[in-house]
Amino acid sequence: EQKEQVTPRRLAGGQFMVQLDAEGTYQCSLTGLIFEVTGSVRITYCLLSWSKYARLVEKPWIVGGPLFDVRCDAAPALTSIQFPHSLCLAG
């Protein structure tokens, strides 16, 4: 599946914003997030610190990747988000 690379606008407080004007699959050039949309949408997102949320992760789960706060002005148009991740197969 073809993804269009988009470079977000940087906002105050470490936030990013993309304005997607048409249906498609878009990948953020800075964070690796992939957004599938059915129409025009504005998406604002930022990285959060795990220090505030790590206690919510219960064993056997462990903190293992970036934590994002994603907001959308037209939620029904945002059909999926694919988050970057890592996989450790050792031990």
Side-chain angles (χ1 to χ4, degrees):
E1 185 174 327
Q2 189 68 13
K3 297 179 221 40
E4 182 176 336
Q5 290 285 312
V6 292
T7 300
R9 191 170 130 208
R10 291 180 185 257
L11 305 175
Q15 293 189 37
F16 302 103
M17 190 273 294
V18 289
Q19 174 66 49
L20 307 174
D21 294 323
E23 179 177 7
T25 303
Y26 301 86
Q27 183 168 21
C28 174
S29 62
L30 299 178
T31 64
L33 289 173
I34 298 171
F35 305 106
E36 288 186 44
V37 300
T38 58
S40 180
V41 65
R42 180 181 309 136
I43 304 170
T44 306
Y45 49 101
C46 65
L47 281 164
L48 298 176
S49 170
W50 270 109
S51 63
K52 184 176 180 180
Y53 301 98
R55 65 174 175 39
L56 301 174
V57 179
E58 297 179 3
K59 291 188 183 216
W61 299 101
I62 59 170
V63 172
L67 180 63
F68 289 94
D69 179 15
V70 179
R71 297 168 191 262
C72 180
D73 72 340
L78 179 60
T79 57
S80 76
I81 302 172
Q82 296 174 39
F83 295 92
H85 65 280
S86 59
L87 178 63
C88 177
L89 299 177

